[in-house]
Amino acid sequence: MDAFLNGVSTVFQALINAGAYVMLPIIITIIGLVFRMNIGKAFKSGITITCGFVGINLLVNLLKSAVSPAASAMVANFGLNLDVTDVGWGAISSVTWASPIVAFLVFEILGINILMLVLKLTKTMDVDIWNYHHMMIAGILVFFVTNNIVWALIATAFTAVMTLKFADWTSPLIEHFFGIPDVTLPTISYTSSIIIAAPLNWVIDRIPGLNKVNISIRNVQKYLGIFGDPMMLGLILGCAMGALALMPIDQIFLTGVNVAAVMVLMPKMTAMFVEGLMPISDGAQKFTTKHFGGQSLSIGLDAAVVVGNPEVITTALIMIPVTIFLAFVLPGNRMMPLADLSVVTFRVALVVALCRGNVFRSILISIPVMAAILYAGTFAAPYLTDLATSTGLSFDGQIASMAGPSLTQTAIVFWTCISENAIILVPVAVIIFVAVWFLVEKKIGMEKIEAYAAEYEEME
């Protein structure tokens, strides 16, 4: 049995190792052909989307390279010495893909997605296979702890269904706030924050005075002139982060210039991405109108396509020192934020969209979102460390990440499936799922999101 599992896993590793830049144009071309597009037009769309995606990822990596040294220096300057180290999402991803049951979980997620599409339970066709690791880590951890494949499959299934539905419910924000139509983002590092953000946003909407505070780049620019421009704001925030890290003056300015460059160039790469997406979107709508009675269909992609939004970057740059401070003062926290500080953008992007660019409210809500990540990472560290060690990795002390079981959604599934009190926790997980549906799908709703979008456009 082990030989069979390892053989199947090897085949999948070869496909995954081909990389998104190789497989994405192929997948998009195949999707275009399924939608009855001309092969030349489908292939051009695939290449254009991939080029936009390459540009976005290059800029995301530029932001990481600018932020990471400053974040690491701040951790050292603040005197943090916690015993659970944030090793980054990349390490967690490699551990996930090294599992002997990974191939079964990939097929399970694909099957669930197809079944939900056929039954019209989702509109998300998730082609972002490289981020399946976010959905699989709960099942892999459950399998490692319990050695029970059934519970592992249940954990993965529940995670996949939650992710697809959260992506569906938040898709209007992608179109009306980020300006990318017919796309959903089933990336748990992006969707997970909605569990905390939706109820908090609902509460703030009902607090007199607080619900009127609205600070965004758009209204700041009215008062600050050139200094409110996204490029200048990026320069200021980047330099401020370098100064907090006590970096040399040349490094402070270099950090600022790199952040400013991301602020300027990211919208251009996003526009290229959307340009390639539009023919696929049109083909999908014609196909579904003909064969599925007009059922709406969206392509599920990596959340990297939205993290370059100026409000997202601004909120993330502010939240990095705030997260370090939280790690220091939160009672019971043992997780030292480090490697994943550079990807806080993914953790706050949906919060920013939900708050329609209100940076003040986004920061207010992101504080408990990041606190929950620190606590979940602390509690899951022994299990994650043992799992990583079993794959041959070695660490000095316990490890965590701001991904995997540290994310609220994954943590709920993981602790429910390994708990002896699952009979209590399963209803709790279902209640959380229904609460998010009620607050996002019903209480916010399309009409209100469109109103938010109109309000946002007026600020530009």
Side-chain angles (χ1 to χ4, degrees):
M1 184 63 177
D2 287 344
F4 174 73
L5 290 175
N6 290 333
V8 176
S9 180
T10 300
V11 173
F12 269 91
Q13 287 297 327
L15 293 174
I16 295 302
N17 289 340
Y21 299 158
V22 174
M23 296 300 294
L24 186 57
I26 296 173
I27 291 173
I28 295 296
T29 301
I30 292 171
I31 291 172
L33 293 176
V34 170
F35 293 154
R36 302 292 191 268
M37 291 176 62
N38 175 280
I39 186 169
K41 191 175 181 180
F43 184 68
K44 183 180 179 181
S45 288
I47 293 296
T48 305
I49 288 172
T50 304
C51 288
F53 190 63
V54 169
I56 288 168
N57 272 319
L58 286 173
L59 291 172
V60 168
N61 288 329
L62 175 61
L63 185 64
K64 289 179 185 177
S65 67
V67 167
S68 291
S72 298
M74 277 191 284
V75 169
N77 293 339
F78 289 172
L80 282 185
N81 189 23
L82 304 172
D83 64 345
V84 174
T85 304
D86 163 23
V87 295
W89 68 268
I92 308 307
S93 175
S94 65
V95 168
T96 302
W97 287 109
S99 170
I101 66 169
V102 67
F104 294 99
L105 301 187
V106 169
F107 277 122
E108 180 188 20
I109 294 169
L110 281 170
I112 288 171
N113 194 178
I114 293 169
L115 180 62
M116 290 178 69
L117 285 169
V118 171
L119 297 177
K120 299 183 179 181
L121 296 176
T122 186
K123 65 178 181 180
T124 296
M125 181 172 59
D126 187 2
V127 301
D128 186 24
I129 296 172
W130 299 272
N131 274 325
Y132 274 21
H133 70 89
H134 286 292
M135 288 187 267
M136 293 188 295
I137 184 61
I140 287 167
L141 269 171
V142 168
F143 180 71
F144 178 77
V145 173
T146 67
N147 200 31
N148 188 320
I149 187 67
V150 174
W151 271 113
L153 293 172
I154 291 172
T156 303
F158 192 29
T159 305
V161 171
M162 288 177 73
T163 304
L164 292 171
K165 294 309 298 181
F166 287 173
D168 287 344
W169 296 337
T170 58
S171 63
L173 296 171
I174 312 304
E175 179 174 359
H176 294 290
F177 182 78
F178 293 115
I180 305 177
D182 301 316
V183 160
T184 61
L185 304 178
T187 310
I188 293 181
S189 59
Y190 166 85
T191 61
S192 179
S193 61
I194 197 66
I195 294 173
I196 293 174
L200 284 181
N201 190 56
W202 182 85
V203 169
I204 292 172
D205 271 339
R206 283 150 183 80
I207 299 177
L210 192 61
N211 59 5
K212 300 299 183 184
V213 179
N214 187 6
I215 302 175
S216 72
I217 290 178
R218 268 66 180 179
N219 25 18
V220 165
Q221 193 168 358
K222 294 178 183 178
Y223 302 105
L224 297 183
I226 186 175
F227 294 104
D229 179 88
M231 178 177 66
M232 295 302 297
L233 189 59
L235 178 66
I236 293 167
L237 288 172
C239 289
M241 176 168 285
L244 283 173
L246 303 181
M247 301 173 81
I249 187 67
D250 60 327
Q251 291 300 309
I252 290 175
F253 190 69
L254 180 60
T255 302
V257 169
N258 284 335
V259 175
V262 173
M263 291 282 226
V264 171
L265 296 174
M266 188 67 82
K268 302 181 187 303
M269 291 299 100
T270 303
M272 185 176 187
F273 179 88
V274 174
E275 177 189 340
L277 182 68
M278 290 312 296
I280 297 292
S281 176
D282 292 341
Q285 296 311 314
K286 291 176 183 177
F287 181 84
T288 54
T289 298
K290 181 178 179 180
H291 297 282
F292 294 95
Q295 176 189 0
S296 176
L297 186 65
S298 299
I299 299 174
L301 295 172
D302 189 332
V305 300
V306 300
V307 299
N309 174 274
E311 280 91 351
V312 172
I313 295 177
T314 300
T315 302
L317 290 175
I318 294 171
M319 282 306 302
I320 288 172
V322 170
T323 301
I324 295 171
F325 177 74
L326 288 173
F328 187 74
V329 300
L330 286 176
N333 173 63
R334 294 167 49 205
M335 179 176 167
M336 180 171 68
L338 194 60
D340 274 344
L341 284 170
S342 60
V343 291
V344 169
T345 44
F346 287 83
R347 313 303 182 261
V348 302
L350 185 51
V351 177
V352 173
L354 188 67
C355 299
R356 62 268 189 207
N358 184 341
V359 175
F360 171 79
R361 186 180 293 200
S362 299
I363 293 169
L364 204 61
I365 293 176
S366 294
I367 290 172
V369 167
M370 297 308 297
I373 287 174
L374 292 172
Y375 276 129
T378 296
F379 298 146
Y383 302 101
L384 193 59
T385 304
D386 289 346
L387 173 63
T389 303
S390 73
T391 66
L393 299 177
S394 60
F395 302 95
D396 183 15
Q398 294 187 352
I399 65 165
S401 163
M402 292 189 192
S406 299
L407 298 171
T408 303
Q409 179 184 332
T410 309
I412 290 169
V413 176
F414 172 60
W415 291 106
T416 298
C417 290
I418 69 168
S419 174
E420 295 178 357
N421 299 314
I423 194 170
I424 297 174
L425 291 180
V426 167
V428 170
V430 171
I431 289 170
I432 291 171
F433 184 76
V434 172
V436 172
W437 165 78
F438 178 74
L439 290 170
V440 177
E441 183 81 344
K442 294 301 178 184
K443 278 296 183 182
I444 295 178
M446 178 64 79
E447 290 185 6
K448 195 169 182 182
I449 287 173
E450 288 176 348
Y452 289 170
E455 175 189 328
Y456 182 77
E457 289 169 0
E458 287 175 2
M459 296 177 188
E460 294 186 310

